[in-house]
Amino acid sequence: MPRKRKLLGQLSALQSNSSCFPPCDALDNLSATPDGNSSPKSSKYFAVEEKKTSQLEADFFNQPCISLAKAFLGKILVRRLPDGRELWGRIVETEAYLGGEDEASHSKGGKQTQRNAAMFMKPGTLYVYQIYGIYFCINVSSQGEGAAVLLRSLEPLRGLDAMRELRSASRKAPSKLLKDWQLCNGPSRLCQAFGIDKAFDQRDLTQDAAIWMIPGHDLPGEQDVVATTRIGIGNRGEWTQKPLRFYLRGNKFVSVVDKKREKEMAAMGHISCS
């Protein structure tokens, strides 16, 4: 017990000191064994620092597509750039693609191709595809054969300057400085801002060192989630009208707001009118 109190006291001193130089010896002492031999951060007090304890693991992704699309709302996507900078964005809009009978899905009819192979891999696998030969979109596989969730929009939290650099580099013509809400409000903009391209296809969100997901704070309740139709899928029969897009009501980083649907929800008492 005396040694534990001493260690806790040294840790407290480290946290309260704005400069790292004076307490450097204390760090060495914390990583030393009682007989004076050094062991590299073997103390239990460093165990939390050695891994991403909050990283979402395989069990989280292993759920039905619609459930996962809703569960993503409020979670945080983290991207570590090659230079070590981290970009954080809160997920505020998603779309579910159910595979099989879903006429709007890349895996409709259960057809597996080289392009959509990630949709048939284990839940938590990234499916990145290109549109118009220029832009990229990022999806995450879920339970269900060929099912995946499209990440449509993020609320930028950290690394906004780097996001602006990446968005600017991906645009040919010079333009005005992008506002915060313009950085990730759409699937291709999201990928530009986070430096995501085809190289991320088939990566595992639970294992990758450059991209992962963590829990968010103030997770939304059911009354905060708007369920409406998906965007840009063309005429897919009844599937065009299926409420498989989910977004956080009142969040200014959402790409497209469905005011009609929000009024309908308010009339049914599901949400309050703002």
Side-chain angles (χ1 to χ4, degrees):
M1 288 298 293
R3 174 172 172 76
K4 181 178 179 180
R5 284 197 293 269
K6 181 179 179 182
L7 289 171
L8 291 175
Q10 291 171 326
L11 282 172
S12 177
L14 283 172
Q15 294 171 345
S16 62
N17 197 310
S18 60
S19 171
C20 70
F21 293 104
C24 281
D25 290 340
L27 278 173
D28 294 336
N29 292 335
L30 286 171
S31 61
T33 56
D35 61 2
N37 294 326
S38 176
S39 59
K41 294 189 178 181
S42 59
S43 168
K44 65 181 179 181
Y45 300 104
F46 288 96
V48 174
E49 297 179 6
E50 292 176 350
K51 61 179 180 179
K52 307 186 197 103
T53 54
S54 62
Q55 181 175 352
L56 294 178
E57 298 181 348
D59 288 346
F60 170 79
F61 300 99
N62 189 23
Q63 54 181 302
C65 192
I66 293 176
S67 174
L68 185 62
K70 293 179 180 179
F72 276 151
L73 297 176
K75 301 300 188 293
I76 297 171
L77 184 69
V78 182
R79 165 83 162 97
R80 179 174 291 154
L81 299 176
D83 62 10
R85 290 181 294 176
E86 286 189 0
L87 314 178
W88 288 32
R90 183 179 184 230
I91 300 170
V92 298
E93 185 181 4
T94 62
E95 287 181 352
Y97 288 86
L98 310 184
E101 61 179 347
D102 186 346
E103 288 294 318
S105 175
H106 288 179
S107 58
K108 65 180 179 180
K111 185 178 181 181
Q112 183 174 350
T113 65
Q114 185 176 358
R115 181 197 191 200
N116 71 7
M119 300 182 79
F120 295 85
M121 294 180 179
K122 71 174 186 175
T125 302
L126 293 181
Y127 169 44
V128 180
Y129 63 87
Q130 196 169 22
I131 57 174
Y132 308 125
I134 305 173
Y135 306 113
F136 295 95
C137 297
I138 182 172
N139 305 255
V140 184
S141 66
S142 66
Q143 269 185 17
E145 193 77 358
V149 178
L150 171 69
L151 303 185
R152 272 201 64 90
S153 296
L154 301 178
E155 176 182 345
L157 300 177
R158 182 183 297 182
L160 275 68
D161 287 341
M163 293 182 199
R164 287 190 176 88
E165 291 174 14
L166 288 164
R167 283 293 313 279
S168 177
S170 64
R171 297 191 296 172
K172 296 179 180 179
S175 57
K176 295 180 181 178
L177 187 69
L178 292 171
K179 296 180 180 179
D180 292 356
W181 65 268
Q182 296 173 311
L183 291 172
C184 306
N185 62 332
S188 61
R189 293 176 179 179
L190 182 166
C191 285
Q192 287 177 353
F194 271 56
I196 295 170
D197 58 21
K198 189 65 176 177
F200 283 80
D201 187 47
Q202 300 187 19
R203 292 195 186 185
D204 185 347
L205 263 183
T206 68
Q207 300 290 332
D208 203 273
I211 189 167
W212 62 92
M213 204 175 287
I214 62 176
H217 301 292
D218 302 322
L219 295 181
E222 196 68 30
Q223 71 280 0
D224 301 314
V225 178
V226 178
T228 185
T229 56
R230 293 174 291 188
I231 296 172
I233 62 174
N235 184 7
R236 305 296 178 183
E238 63 177 331
W239 290 93
T240 303
Q241 299 304 318
K242 296 283 187 183
L244 295 174
R245 179 167 69 97
F246 308 97
Y247 70 83
L248 296 183
R249 184 178 67 92
N251 189 286
K252 66 180 181 180
F253 300 93
V254 171
S255 66
V256 180
V257 171
D258 189 337
K259 293 183 179 180
K260 180 181 178 181
R261 179 56 184 155
E262 290 187 20
K263 287 181 179 179
E264 291 173 351
M265 293 176 67
M268 292 186 291
H270 292 177
I271 60 176
S272 59
C273 243
S274 54

